[in-house]
Amino acid sequence: MSRFSRARLNAEADYFTASARRSDEAALDGDRAAADMTNGPRTRAVAAKCAQVARSNAADYRDIAAALRDGEIPDCLDLD
């Protein structure tokens, strides 16, 4: 049982859900930059990698939000 209230955990989950949305948007921006042939090859490669990292972050944020909504605090978080 968590020592944090359900409202607090839900508020934290909302924060991570919003972070996931921002990461999804960043991934789309990276995809656009990677596909833009006016960018040089290094810029496109970096943009593609950034999009990949942003997608991974979004998935992590969604997992954290789901755990918080289930009343669990993932080990990676310190809510104090």
Side-chain angles (χ1 to χ4, degrees), residues 55-76:
R55 272 190 206 84
S56 176
N57 288 345
D60 289 345
Y61 296 151
R62 284 189 187 88
D63 290 344
I64 291 168
L68 289 166
R69 282 192 173 76
D70 287 341
E72 299 175 21
I73 300 173
D75 291 337
C76 62

Side-chain angles (χ1 to χ4, degrees), residues 6-74:
R6 174 62 66 184
R8 168 75 190 277
L9 294 178
N10 285 338
E12 295 291 340
D14 290 345
Y15 170 81
F16 281 100
T17 299
S19 295
R21 279 195 291 284
R22 285 190 298 276
S23 288
D24 286 336
E25 292 167 8
L28 291 175
D29 286 343
D31 289 339
R32 282 192 278 282
D36 186 346
M37 297 309 287
T38 63
N39 289 328
R42 287 189 189 112
T43 299
R44 291 193 318 268
V46 169
K49 185 62 177 175
C50 289
Q52 180 184 8
V53 169
R55 272 190 206 84
S56 176
N57 288 345
D60 289 345
Y61 296 151
R62 284 189 187 88
D63 290 344
I64 291 168
L68 289 166
R69 282 192 173 76
D70 287 341
E72 299 175 21
I73 300 173

